Amino acid sequence: MKTPPADTSEQVSPTTAPDSFDKLVGDADRAPEISLPRQTPFQRFWCTRVLSSLSFQMLAVAMGWHIYALTHSAFALGLVGLAQFLPMFVLTLVVGQVADRYDRRRIASICQGLECVAAALFAWGTFGGWISAPVIYVLAACVGAARAFESPAVASLLPGVVPRAQLSQATAWATSANQAAQIGGPALGGLLYGIGPGAAYLACTLSFALASAAVSTIPLRTKPVPRAPVTLESVFSGVRFIRSQPVILGALSLDLFAVLFGGATALLPIFARDVLHAGPLGLGLLRSASAVGALGGTIWLAHFPLRKRPGAAMFGGVIAFGIATLVFGLSHSFIVSLFALMALGASDVISVVVRLSLVQLRTPDEMLGRVSAVNSLFIGTSNQLGEFESGVTAGWWGAQTAVLIGGCATIAIALLWMRLFPELRRTRSLEREE
């Protein structure tokens, strides 16, 4: 699911991670021509993911609080998610072709550079006093377009960094990079926004710039696949491949609809300000809470990979996600809300790891970019379009009622998908089964 989603109160870094992390990265190429000999390719990949995710999480907090402060409208909050989703939807078939035909490191570096420029424009507009809701929507759309290219490029980069046999474990550790950033990013973004919106946007600018510089230094174990000519068949090949794989299709669609209806992230500024009365720092802590739980979940899965019945584990995680959403919607206590979001993140990460592992282990490398692009569209639909859906329903019925309805819908979808996709429920391995 999304989200995208995970952290603990203690971040994991490449130099202090558990033994399994060291063992994982130790088998990768050392790339002596790079000027950082002590870092393995996977460690650089992990650090790059942290920097990029940290930047985006800080920017999301700043944009959300800023637009709500300007408009006091739940619908306006939803429009920020819609502005980020539309470019992703329009560009899906294009970005997959780009990721499969060009150097994925260079694509990621360019996209993060463009996001750096967008964050700098946010800062300039804030200090200059000309920032407004329409400007925020336009810049959010620019960030969404850049991430539309970045996401499949980065996702399809991992199989070239670690051996295939370690890919599932590496996916869990790579997911922990996102979750580590989701711990520090929202809290740091909320703290900096409390100092001033411009301070938060400047921090995003610096972090995006560092990520852009770092990703281009990642050495790969495998050489790029020769470019095939672009045809109408190749453009839609990622969609056709997913349709032919009921296990992958079931995992992607389950994650999509569960988070689309069950996600409450877009409404956190309303809960922080009007329900829990926690302020910008409280908003940052709320956004970090689900990442805290998810980071704990990813570390657990990195040590104890899902080798048996991953599909059943995914369904269990989605149902637990719905229950945690209900608890959060009913809560008027800041502490209870934090723990509910932690549980939400821990259950969500099961779906994330299973979905990503299925895509990476069951997709040929020469079309991994196109399949990852469709996967990114599903993620974006559930996250950004889910934020729009949450804003609309909250505008109709109120924030708490919208979250409760979403939690019930998530549980209902999980039960329905068990019947619609029995192959996913019965699958015994992340690898392709004969």
Side-chain angles (χ1 to χ4, degrees):
M1 306 173 182
K2 6 195 15 301
T3 213
D7 323 277
T8 33
S9 53
E10 182 178 355
Q11 293 191 17
V12 177
S13 70
T15 57
T16 60
D19 292 341
S20 62
F21 184 87
D22 296 333
K23 180 180 179 181
L24 172 67
V25 300
D27 292 337
D29 292 341
R30 286 297 194 266
E33 73 278 5
I34 302 298
S35 61
L36 299 175
R38 294 185 180 180
Q39 278 195 320
T40 65
F42 183 78
Q43 286 175 316
R44 292 184 207 172
F45 178 87
W46 196 94
C47 292
T48 300
R49 289 289 294 268
V50 169
L51 286 170
S52 179
S53 297
L54 183 74
S55 311
F56 183 72
Q57 292 301 320
M58 288 192 294
L59 187 60
V61 168
M63 285 192 302
W65 191 271
H66 206 159
I67 197 70
Y68 192 62
L70 290 173
T71 65
H72 302 285
S73 168
F75 183 73
L77 277 174
L79 287 178
V80 175
L82 181 64
Q84 295 178 74
F85 166 75
L86 288 178
M88 183 179 298
F89 176 76
V90 173
L91 296 170
T92 294
L93 299 179
V94 176
V95 300
Q97 287 287 337
V98 172
D100 280 336
R101 291 174 58 81
Y102 299 98
D103 189 329
R104 292 161 181 170
R105 297 167 297 181
R106 182 172 297 179
I107 295 169
S109 180
I110 292 173
C111 292
Q112 290 160 359
L114 293 174
E115 290 161 357
C116 173
V117 172
L121 289 175
F122 269 114
W124 182 25
T126 300
F127 288 124
W130 50 266
I131 198 80
S132 63
V135 173
I136 292 177
Y137 295 143
V138 171
L139 291 177
C142 293
V143 172
R147 289 185 69 81
F149 284 91
E150 178 189 354
S151 296
V154 173
S156 53
L157 195 60
L158 185 57
V161 175
V162 299
R164 183 179 180 86
Q166 297 173 340
L167 194 55
S168 176
Q169 191 177 19
T171 298
W173 281 116
T175 303
S176 76
N178 287 340
Q179 314 313 336
Q182 289 182 32
I183 294 174
L188 181 58
L191 179 63
L192 291 173
Y193 192 95
I195 298 172
Y201 293 133
L202 284 178
C204 295
T205 303
L206 176 61
S207 187
F208 273 129
L210 291 174
S212 178
V215 71
S216 61
T217 69
I218 300 174
L220 301 180
R221 294 173 54 87
T222 58
K223 296 181 178 180
V225 179
R227 301 174 188 172
V230 178
T231 63
L232 187 63
E233 180 181 0
S234 68
V235 168
F236 289 95
S237 59
V239 177
R240 281 199 308 274
F241 177 82
I242 291 174
R243 288 186 59 186
S244 70
Q245 302 290 322
V247 173
I248 296 179
L249 178 60
L252 293 181
S253 57
L254 172 63
D255 190 72
L256 186 159
F257 288 106
V259 179
L260 175 64
F261 295 112
T265 303
L267 303 180
L268 289 181
I270 299 176
F271 278 85
R273 179 167 179 162
D274 300 335
V275 178
L276 303 173
H277 308 290
L281 179 57
L283 171 62
L285 293 175
L286 288 173
R287 288 189 68 103
S288 298
S290 61
V292 171
L295 181 58
T298 54
I299 293 175
W300 175 269
L301 292 175
H303 285 289
F304 305 100
L306 292 171
R307 304 190 188 280
K308 297 181 179 179
R309 310 229 16 174
M314 184 176 188
F315 281 114
V318 172
I319 292 174
F321 180 90
I323 294 173
T325 301
L326 291 175
V327 173
F328 175 75
L330 292 170
S331 171
H332 287 269
S333 165
F334 185 75
I335 299 299
V336 172
S337 297
L338 282 178
F339 278 105
L341 290 173
M342 288 181 193
L344 184 150
S347 56
D348 180 49
V349 78
I350 298 174
S351 175
V352 172
V353 171
V354 171
R355 171 174 47 78
L356 290 177
S357 298
L358 286 173
V359 169
Q360 292 173 340
L361 288 171
R362 299 192 179 204
T363 304
D365 183 70
E366 62 271 15
M367 63 184 305
L368 186 55
R370 280 161 284 178
V371 174
S372 296
V374 178
N375 178 42
S376 297
L377 174 63
F378 276 68
I379 296 172
T381 301
S382 59
N383 288 342
Q384 277 75 48
L385 192 60
E387 291 182 8
F388 177 67
E389 179 271 337
S390 297
V392 171
T393 54
W396 289 343
W397 304 314
Q400 288 184 287
T401 302
V403 170
L404 293 175
I405 293 174
C408 293
T410 297
I411 296 172
I413 287 169
L415 297 175
L416 176 61
W417 253 239
M418 287 183 185
R419 296 183 61 86
L420 294 178
F421 294 94
E423 300 91 348
L424 175 60
R425 175 169 48 86
R426 294 194 296 259
T427 187
R428 298 178 181 178
S429 172
L430 294 171
E431 293 274 6
R432 183 187 297 272
E433 299 174 3
E434 298 296 335

